[in-house]
Amino acid sequence: MSNFKRIKHTIRTLIILTLTVYFGIIILLSIPFVQKQLSHYASHELSNLFHTEVSIGNINLGLLNRIIIQNVSLQDQSGKDMLKIARFSAKIDIPSLFQGKIRINSVQLFGLNAQLSKPSPTEDANFQFVLNT
């Protein structure tokens, strides 16, 4: 086998392997049990990060670089509902993930209900803890 054929075979194998893994992840994330576990894990981690209650309904991975999150709810630190989103969709820059960074190209929010307040000019807004994190 010549060097050209070996390189061609290697590239073809890598492309097929990459596509198989990618579509395998998409299929895996379409299973309701996996979605529920992923949503529970993400809710728990965000609740620990923000020190307040966060709930997430479903997490779906769209084709290419889109992630879709449904039924997001975030409370402020006094326990009142601060943010509810029926559907949150974001496009993520894949190459930046390999550099350990998260870069979001675009975001779409559907069914947004935000209760943002600042009681007085000297007090912090109820969403300040999100900005500080």
Side-chain angles (χ1 to χ4, degrees):
M1 190 184 277
S2 70
N3 283 340
F4 177 73
K5 286 186 179 183
R6 284 184 185 168
I7 292 171
K8 183 179 171 183
H9 178 71
T10 303
I11 290 173
R12 183 181 300 144
T13 303
L14 285 174
I15 290 172
I16 291 171
L17 182 64
T18 302
L19 290 174
T20 302
V21 168
Y22 179 75
F23 286 111
I25 290 171
I26 289 175
I27 291 169
L28 185 66
L29 286 177
S30 67
I31 299 171
F33 176 77
V34 174
Q35 286 181 345
K36 183 178 178 182
Q37 294 301 316
L38 184 60
S39 299
H40 178 71
Y41 175 76
S43 298
H44 182 266
E45 290 299 316
L46 288 171
S47 293
N48 287 340
L49 178 68
F50 292 134
H51 304 291
T52 188
E53 184 66 31
V54 178
S55 67
I56 297 173
N58 288 334
I59 298 175
N60 296 315
L61 196 63
L63 290 178
L64 301 177
N65 58 350
R66 183 172 299 279
I67 186 166
I68 302 163
I69 305 172
Q70 297 176 345
N71 301 323
V72 178
S73 176
L74 173 67
Q75 294 181 351
D76 62 16
Q77 291 189 319
S78 67
K80 297 178 184 173
D81 285 338
M82 182 180 76
L83 187 68
K84 287 188 178 186
I85 305 170
R87 184 171 179 243
F88 174 90
S89 174
K91 280 191 173 182
I92 299 172
D93 183 41
I94 301 293
S96 66
L97 289 176
F98 295 115
Q99 300 171 354
K101 299 176 183 177
I102 298 175
R103 183 175 172 189
I104 298 174
N105 293 331
S106 68
V107 173
Q108 294 176 326
L109 301 173
F110 300 95
L112 173 66
N113 182 6
Q115 304 294 325
L116 307 177
S117 64
K118 185 170 182 174
S120 71
T122 58
E123 293 182 68
D124 286 340
N126 68 337
F127 57 89
Q128 188 63 44
F129 69 98
V130 175
L131 300 176
N132 292 342
T133 304

